[in-house]
Amino acid sequence: MSAGPEEIARAVAQLREGRLVAFPTETVYGLGALATDERAVGRVFAMKGRPPGNPLIVHVSGEEMARTLTPRWTERASRLANAFWPGPLTIVVERGQRVPSVVSGGGPTVAVRCPAHPLTLALIEMVGEGIVGPSANRSGFLSPTSAAHVEDEFREEIERGDLMVLDGGACRAGIESTVVSVVGESPEVLRPGVIGASEVARALGCDVRERRGSDDPAAGPMASPGRMESHYAPRTRAVLLPREQIGRAIEESGVPIALVAIAGPGRPRVHTHIEMPGDAIGYASSLYRALREADASGVELIIIERPPTGGTDAEIWAAIHDRLARATAPRV
Ligand code: TXA
Ligand code: MG
């Protein structure tokens, strides 16, 4: 059930008291606090178990509010906001004085995004300022794409009244926003998402760099924590295999398995079988729900069939592959 005006009013009160509210967006649920409330922002880091050097996204109701968070809302930032907001694009700009340094993990920049979800836009408008929101999950694990996922993740905190969940239904996009920095000389995609680098380049009218690979968490302040190798991961060990290797892997494993695969001929003999949509948008929107279901099914191994690459949705598949690589990476 989707929340109504009364719950939004309750969420506003909760935020003003310095407590946390999990809010829906079109990508994943966020763990919200008022961006100007340093202590509440501290509670967000604590509740997630997030290292303090990992900066948070500030969610705004539009470009006008974004301008209040930076001394330089550049032409490029403005073009991106016009092209993609409200929507799954986060823009990294210089951090202004109104944004406490804890929000940015001590760094000189701030990430801003206007989410495409009517409930959350209403919440931000009513509270009148930006809301920080990392994904509402324990650090390193799967992002939540429904209110029930958030409740599973933070049951005790909710019971204690430290966290309220605003239910806005299932998330449409399903994987986290594309993060683009417009601070340096040339714009750079720091985290891939459903909006591809080529669309960003088209909106900007210039080349856009794409950062690949992972940041080493031991290497000091992180450019983008979502780029750490093991991240977005289920608790159960997960592996990524091409379709032709799956039958053999199942036979040889000797443990209960959950298989996450695009529907194919035949029924694999596994404990749990989760069928994925074959199109990129459908796949992205189902991915975290599928991995949570696999994780909860009591198996010892999750086998994920390697999805396609290339084609007209090549950039969405690339963002999906980015998350799958992290979901199946060895734990540090
Ligand atoms: O779709 C999303 O972006 C969701 C919803 C709730 O908006 N939020 C989300 O937040 O995924 P989180 O904290 O799980 O991931 C935020 C990512 C980090 O991994 C990092 O890559 C980047 O945003 N980020 C945040 N602030 C940054 C900054 N100042 N500079 C560079 N990257 C930053
Ligand atoms: Mg996250």
Side-chain angles (χ1 to χ4, degrees):
M1 268 306 282
S2 213
E6 263 174 44
E7 272 106 335
I8 297 179
R10 246 188 347 113
V12 169
Q14 173 104 349
L15 288 170
R16 293 218 170 107
E17 286 162 16
R19 287 182 293 160
L20 310 191
V21 174
F23 60 87
T25 80
E26 77 282 34
T27 59
V28 302
Y29 275 70
L31 189 62
L34 287 189
T36 53
D37 184 341
E38 274 185 59
R39 289 183 55 192
V41 173
R43 280 185 206 111
V44 170
F45 280 94
M47 199 176 280
K48 268 187 76 91
R50 185 178 179 108
N54 291 8
L56 306 180
I57 296 170
V58 181
H59 296 77
V60 294
S61 57
E63 192 173 350
E64 199 185 317
M65 193 180 276
R67 283 177 190 278
T68 68
L69 305 176
T70 175
R72 246 174 296 283
W73 185 254
T74 59
E75 166 74 24
R76 282 176 177 168
S78 188
R79 281 191 185 201
L80 291 178
N82 278 320
F84 302 110
W85 282 3
L89 187 90
T90 296
I91 309 170
V92 175
V93 294
E94 270 179 60
R95 177 167 59 86
Q97 286 176 348
R98 297 193 48 188
V99 182
S101 127
V102 281
V103 168
S104 300
T109 60
V110 63
V112 287
R113 160 165 128 79
C114 175
H117 197 293
L119 267 186
T120 293
L121 287 175
L123 175 68
I124 300 168
E125 280 286 290
M126 270 185 81
V127 74
E129 60 166 296
I131 298 176
V132 293
S135 51
N137 53 277
R138 311 246 172 221
S139 192
F141 295 102
L142 295 169
S143 296
T145 54
S146 73
H149 292 167
V150 182
E151 284 157 13
D152 288 344
E153 200 82 18
F154 294 112
R155 200 163 293 283
E156 280 178 29
E157 290 83 349
I158 293 167
E159 275 164 17
R160 277 204 304 270
D162 293 343
L163 174 66
M164 167 185 168
V165 184
L166 205 54
D167 188 348
C171 302
R172 275 187 293 115
I175 61 173
E176 304 80 356
S177 61
T178 306
V179 179
V180 183
S181 170
V182 293
V183 171
E185 192 108 314
S186 65
E188 184 173 16
V189 171
L190 301 177
R191 177 174 72 179
V194 166
I195 296 174
S198 69
E199 283 176 84
V200 172
R202 213 174 310 131
L204 289 174
C206 68
D207 283 347
V208 170
R209 288 182 294 158
E210 278 180 273
R211 200 176 295 181
R212 295 181 196 283
S214 295
D215 289 345
D216 178 357
M222 279 170 258
S224 218
R227 301 164 43 75
M228 281 183 295
E229 206 139 274
S230 172
H231 210 95
Y232 313 109
R235 286 167 168 80
T236 312
R237 187 165 74 89
V239 296
L240 192 60
L241 292 177
R243 177 171 286 191
E244 60 275 13
Q245 287 176 23
I246 289 174
R248 179 118 181 247
I250 292 171
E251 274 168 37
E252 287 176 355
S253 82
V255 298
I257 285 174
L259 176 66
V260 176
I262 293 171
R267 291 212 130 264
R269 279 204 303 255
V270 288
H271 181 279
T272 306
H273 180 203
I274 298 168
E275 289 192 6
M276 297 298 286
D279 65 296
I281 289 177
Y283 193 103
S285 72
S286 316
L287 178 60
Y288 291 143
R289 181 163 29 83
L291 292 180
R292 275 178 186 267
E293 193 183 325
D295 217 4
S297 69
V299 297
E300 281 174 47
L301 177 65
I302 300 172
I303 296 179
I304 306 166
E305 178 198 354
R306 188 184 294 284
T309 54
T312 45
D313 287 328
E315 289 182 305
I316 303 177
W317 285 121
I320 290 167
H321 278 276
D322 170 81
R323 302 309 191 278
L324 287 175
R326 295 172 207 287
T328 55
R331 297 286 161 74
V332 219

